[in-house]
Amino acid sequence: MNTKVSELPRLNDLKAVPDKNVSEFLEKGHTLVKNILSPDEIAFYHPVIVNAARRYNTEKRKMEDRDTYGKAFLQIMNLWRCDETVKQFVLSKRLGKIAADLMGVENVRIFHDQALFKEPGGGPTPWHQDQYYWPIDNNNTITMCMPLIDIDVDMGMLTFASASFTKGAVFDFEISDESEKAFDDYVKKGQFPISRATTMKAGDATFHRGFTIHNAPGNQSDKMREIMTIIYIADGSRVAQPKNQWQINDQEKWLMGKPVGELINSELNPKVL
């Protein structure tokens, strides 16, 4: 595909977030916003993102040779730094404004993006909290997950424990079999309502807080579940003291080694609006 950046839809027009989505996000820590991209816009960006993900995917192992994390999805990160066409999607004002409105902030910055492609026969994604990995000094973080094709429950639909973000970090576990067992017990004991969409159209997107506990079943279909994610943080956030090795790694990799207490404003973390 040889699509030029100038030919791509800009995605810089702003769309109002329905009040019901804002209320749901505040209460539950997650919401599904529909029709963010039109069918024509997805038709442009779908092949752009998929082709970039294929070029930069480094996972070459057979499924049976991977651990639980490796079986869950193919994970290709910060594609916006590798591909100018993907950059236009990731830095689009339309997506950033929705994230900002849901969090109730004036502006957001990019933490990083990641293509999360769950292969046919790919394993489940265990229960986890995203912000376990992030050295950020506040809880005003949000992850957008947009399917690039229509998906249903057989393909590994994102599943949320509603209102589970309120306690902050629950366990000191990375995504693993151990995290699945501990979080599953915690979610059941806390009687958190479980929420999962039945279907999502390409161009719809879920948004969830960094501490919202979530998982996804395995992909039981014969199609690749192609999802593009963008992690946003509130403008004005600062680097927190890392609490684990993963946060030390993220401080160096995604925050360009910014010292603890410094504003998060490196060239890897541009403002969107």
Side-chain angles (χ1 to χ4, degrees):
M1 181 177 179
N2 295 312
T3 303
K4 298 178 181 178
V5 174
S6 60
E7 297 173 343
L8 290 166
R10 296 294 297 177
L11 305 183
N12 281 335
D13 57 311
L14 305 182
K15 292 189 175 183
V17 183
D19 289 342
K20 65 178 182 180
N21 287 112
V22 176
S23 298
E24 182 176 55
F25 184 79
L26 291 174
E27 176 188 352
K28 298 181 178 180
H30 63 88
T31 191
L32 166 58
V33 183
K34 296 185 176 181
N35 304 314
I36 298 175
L37 266 64
S38 70
D40 286 343
E41 289 168 335
I42 275 289
F44 272 102
Y45 280 104
H46 175 210
V48 164
I49 295 171
V50 168
N51 288 340
R54 287 173 178 165
R55 287 198 308 274
Y56 295 101
N57 173 40
T58 59
E59 179 58 81
K60 307 300 181 185
R61 295 173 297 172
K62 294 180 180 180
M63 187 74 71
E64 58 267 26
D65 295 330
R66 306 179 204 168
D67 60 11
T68 298
Y69 191 104
K71 290 176 181 176
F73 41 63
L74 300 176
Q75 183 179 39
I76 308 96
M77 306 174 89
N78 253 20
L79 283 176
W80 78 271
R81 296 286 288 182
C82 308
D83 187 288
E84 283 296 315
T85 51
V86 178
K87 179 179 180 179
Q88 191 159 298
F89 176 90
V90 172
L91 298 186
S92 66
K93 296 184 185 300
R94 184 190 303 174
L95 301 179
K97 186 64 163 64
I98 292 172
D101 287 349
L102 289 172
M103 290 196 292
V105 299
E106 291 188 6
N107 209 336
V108 291
R109 290 181 178 270
I110 300 296
F111 185 49
H112 63 76
D113 69 50
Q114 49 188 0
L116 293 178
F117 289 7
K118 192 179 286 286
E119 300 153 284
T125 307
W127 287 115
H128 66 283
Q129 294 176 297
D130 293 342
Q131 199 162 336
Y132 165 78
Y133 293 89
W134 308 338
I136 298 169
D137 74 340
N138 63 72
N139 298 348
N140 240 350
T141 63
I142 193 169
T143 300
M144 183 208 79
C145 298
M146 178 177 287
L148 304 176
I149 60 171
D150 296 350
I151 64 173
D152 59 33
V153 290
D154 290 336
M155 299 177 73
M157 188 69 71
L158 211 59
T159 304
F160 303 99
S162 295
S164 57
F165 68 95
T166 57
K167 302 297 184 182
V170 177
F171 296 116
D172 186 18
F173 292 143
E174 60 187 280
I175 299 177
S176 62
D177 295 329
E178 187 180 22
S179 77
E180 172 66 17
K181 176 64 169 64
F183 276 112
D184 193 54
D185 291 344
Y186 176 82
V187 167
K188 288 176 180 176
K189 184 177 180 180
Q191 298 183 319
F192 296 101
I194 305 302
S195 177
R196 175 193 298 163
T198 304
T199 61
M200 288 178 68
K201 292 287 188 181
D204 296 345
T206 58
F207 292 79
H208 65 270
R209 290 190 179 276
F211 281 123
T212 296
I213 300 170
H214 59 288
N215 71 5
N219 185 356
Q220 303 302 314
S221 78
D222 59 359
K223 298 179 181 178
M224 181 80 80
R225 188 211 68 178
E226 298 163 346
I227 286 181
M228 185 63 180
T229 75
I230 306 172
I231 300 165
Y232 300 95
I233 58 177
D235 183 34
S237 299
R238 295 179 182 271
V239 182
Q241 181 67 47
K243 295 182 174 66
N244 54 57
Q245 187 60 49
W246 293 103
Q247 291 191 11
I248 293 172
N249 295 342
D250 275 20
Q251 179 183 5
E252 184 63 31
K253 189 169 186 178
W254 308 125
L255 304 179
M256 299 187 72
K258 280 266 186 177
V260 172
E262 290 289 312
L263 282 171
I264 298 174
N265 60 4
S266 81
E267 66 177 86
L268 288 183
N269 314 114
K271 282 198 289 191
V272 178
L273 304 176

